[in-house]
Amino acid sequence: MIPRSVLISSVAALATLAGAAPAQVAGKYTLDLAGAKRVTAAIETEATKLGVTPAIAVVDDGGHLVALVRMDGAFTAAARVSTGKARTAAEFRKPTREFEEIINKGRFTMTALPDFTPLQGGVPIVYDGRTIGAVGVSGAASAKQDDELATLGARALESSQVGQAEPKTDATPAVSAAPSASAPSSAAAMGKQLVLRDRNGLAIEGYDPVAYFSESRPVEGSERFTSLRNGAIYRFASAENKAAFERSPEKYEPQYGGYCGYAASLNRLSPISPDYWQIVDGRLVLQHNQKAFDLFNADLAANVMKADVNWPGLVTRNGTGGPWLLNVDADGVAIEGYDVVAYFADGRPQRGDARFESTYDGALYRFASAEHRVQFELDPTRYLPQYGGYCGYAASIDKISPVDPEIWQIVEGRLVLQHTQKAYDLFNAELAANVVRADANWPGLVARNGRRAGENGFARLLRWIGIS
């Protein structure tokens, strides 16, 4: 196992409440140089992939510079501007895009604030609900790309990557340690799992995971030889391969839930092609395409470490469990191919393009641009339509109905689609109450109507009528 470095240090300090005899302990996380370098490295890797050369600044929670990287080709002022963005994000505990939007709406008095850089591209770095610093990016292809790269870097440090040491009752710093390989992740403890599967529950597009080891090549599996693991169906080319997998599934199942290894190193979830693969220290790693394969192997040891450290956080944020119920077509494409990010980013429905396609939990999602796909892969659960992409009003009356992707709304940061204008009007007649009803009904709808990997139609029918 590749060693994992400590990214964030935890400093424990004593605090005594007035009138209380025992000392109280107050803990504070601080961003150290190792953590800052992780942020800059994640951004540099993605910037290189995109063909841009920005400057990247990382500051602590007080706005003091911790790390500054000026990529070859960055314009002269980029270092100063990126530092200003980072400081503004840290001091105000908000992304700088919010200030740019406020000023663009006419509130110019904010520009009089000292040492204030209201240009998008500054993002706070949050750990365990607290801002521990911020990152600023300047000099990418656009202001929007500055912001996307900064967001990617800020998410390079996830709460699941480190564990806080027990508080001390003296002034000795308590340094956190990375979780041990044998310790169960918080996601596992909550029953979460994250495996790349298609609409039928197939892992690796039906390819045999054992064949990568035994034959050193991709081999399609057969419907005759299947095994169920972590909510996904694995197929095998032979009974021998099936038996080998079932004896030791941890040896053969792909790393990072079968998602792209390079994307995991960037804290993203991307689909794979079974033809791009490698065995790294006895572990099967799949990649999205040749470019991802090459970038992953350009710094193999470091990228494996990044992917290993990122994976528990990806599972915690995006993992699921049990049956799934998704509004997809015969090809597994969600919500008629509309771009789920466009509702948030552009404020309107927009059809996606098959060239920009990603996958999450049994559904294919299409996007209008590569940028939207990146946004989705960094945080898919933020953009997913509620109630599996089915009608919100129908869910509120404990039913399932299709949707018209042109009839939509954002409710407290959640995308809700509706079947018709009438459904929209009825849902909004008592919006708060109907959201509560839909949320309460949805788990039962999934339990009755959802799919389970390896379950045939007859078994689903029995479960639906309550016999099993």
Side-chain angles (χ1 to χ4, degrees), residues 300-311:
L300 181 60
N303 284 331
V304 168
M305 182 183 71
K306 292 173 186 174
D308 286 348
V309 170
N310 288 340
W311 184 245

Side-chain angles (χ1 to χ4, degrees), residues 70-92:
R70 183 170 174 264
M71 296 183 68
D72 293 340
F75 65 90
T76 305
R80 176 169 52 83
V81 176
S82 63
T83 302
K85 291 180 181 181
R87 284 176 176 158
T88 302
E91 291 172 356
F92 287 88

Side-chain angles (χ1 to χ4, degrees), residues 209-216 251-253 277 279 282-284:
V210 176
Y212 289 102
F213 294 84
S214 62
E215 299 186 37
S216 299
K251 176 180 178 180
Y252 297 108
E253 63 186 349
W277 64 282
I279 306 295
R283 304 158 68 196
L284 173 60

Side-chain angles (χ1 to χ4, degrees), residues 104-166:
N104 286 340
K105 291 177 181 177
R107 192 178 173 187
F108 301 112
T109 53
M110 293 195 72
T111 59
L113 293 170
D115 198 17
F116 182 60
T117 307
L119 302 172
Q120 61 179 305
V123 177
I125 299 172
V126 178
Y127 173 70
D128 197 25
R130 304 177 186 177
T131 298
I132 61 170
V135 55
V137 176
S138 178
S142 64
K144 182 179 178 182
Q145 196 171 74
D146 284 348
D147 186 69
E148 290 171 351
L149 288 169
T151 300
L152 181 150
R155 290 175 180 157
L157 299 180
E158 292 293 334
S159 61
S160 59
Q161 295 170 7
V162 296
Q164 186 175 8
E166 289 297 319

